[in-house]
């Protein structure tokens, strides 16, 4: 189970952004109360679809065995809470490659669903949801993630990932 604690979104960040039924795109919930500034509210709501698209692309990259593409959703300074403590982007990539990939292919198919976006301050949001890894005659792994994301000139990037 400790291996699941290190999984992001797929992490993290991780196309298959679908409902549990598997064919209806998940919708982001932006109804939560935002933090103090109107700027943060406007920035977060302005590009909600863009953030979901980043998640969809990261899962698609994962599923086609493109770990570098999957990790592109993370800022270069991104961190993840692991059972060893806080790790950086390079350590995340090594962990994913060693644990969830084999010979350049993902061991299991990644999906994300049950998104909820909570605006924070400025261009920051908290994105929570569920990931599922399944297929290839391996046990299905599923859990919850929370991602701190920022909207940059290059689009949405994950700053911190906590997945269980």
């Amino acid at each position: 189970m400790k291996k699941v604690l290190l999984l992001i979104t797929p992490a993290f960040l991780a196309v298959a952004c679908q409902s549990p039924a598997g064919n209806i795109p998940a919708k982001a919930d932006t109804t939560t109360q935002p933090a103090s500034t109107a700027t943060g509210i406007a920035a977060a709501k302005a590009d909600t679809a863009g953030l979901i698209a980043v998640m969809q692309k990261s899962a698609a990259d994962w599923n086609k065995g493109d770990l570098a593409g999957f990790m592109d959703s993370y800022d270069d300074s991104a961190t993840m809470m692991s059972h060893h403590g806080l790790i950086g982007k390079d350590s995340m990539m090594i962990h994913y490659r060693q644990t969830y990939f084999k010979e350049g292919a993902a061991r299991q198919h990644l999906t994300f669903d049950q998104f909820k976006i909570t605006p924070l301050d400025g261009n920051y949001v908290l994105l929570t949801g569920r990931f599922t890894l399944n297929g290839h005659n391996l046990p299905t792994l599923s859990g919850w993630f929370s991602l701190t994301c920022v909207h940059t000139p290059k689009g949405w990037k994950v700053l911190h990932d906590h997945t269980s």
Side-chain angles (χ1 to χ4, degrees):
M1 197 59 145
K2 287 185 180 180
K3 289 182 182 178
V4 174
L5 290 174
L6 292 177
L7 181 64
I8 107 174
T9 88
F12 318 64
L13 277 163
V15 174
C17 204
Q18 298 178 349
S19 70
N23 60 0
I24 302 169
K27 294 185 179 177
D29 175 1
T30 58
T31 60
T32 56
Q33 291 297 320
S36 58
T37 69
T39 304
I41 297 167
K45 287 189 175 184
D47 196 22
T48 297
L51 180 53
I52 299 306
V54 167
M55 296 300 291
Q56 291 173 327
K57 181 185 180 307
S58 73
D61 289 339
W62 177 281
N63 292 331
K64 67 183 179 185
D66 182 0
L67 182 57
F70 170 80
M71 292 300 298
D72 189 50
S73 60
Y74 289 87
D75 187 75
D76 288 340
S77 67
T79 57
M80 181 174 78
M81 188 56 66
S82 77
H83 69 279
H84 296 295
L86 208 56
I87 62 172
K89 185 175 179 179
D90 291 340
S91 295
M92 283 186 260
M93 191 156 185
I94 291 166
H95 168 72
Y96 290 135
R97 186 180 305 116
Q98 292 175 347
T99 307
Y100 299 104
F101 283 74
K102 183 177 182 180
E103 299 172 7
R107 293 179 187 261
Q108 292 183 292
H109 184 82
L110 172 65
T111 60
F112 295 118
D113 61 30
Q114 298 189 33
F115 293 115
K116 183 173 183 179
I117 298 173
T118 305
L120 300 173
D121 195 21
N123 291 328
Y124 297 87
V125 299
L126 175 66
L127 172 63
T128 58
R130 183 178 69 168
F131 74 89
T132 302
L133 285 168
N134 61 16
H136 300 282
N137 295 318
L138 295 171
T140 296
L141 300 174
S142 184
W144 299 95
F145 62 84
S146 59
L147 306 174
T148 304
C149 305
V150 62
H151 193 265
T152 72
K154 295 181 180 182
W156 287 102
K157 294 291 182 177
V158 175
L159 294 176
H160 181 74
D161 180 344
H162 193 154
T163 301
S164 57

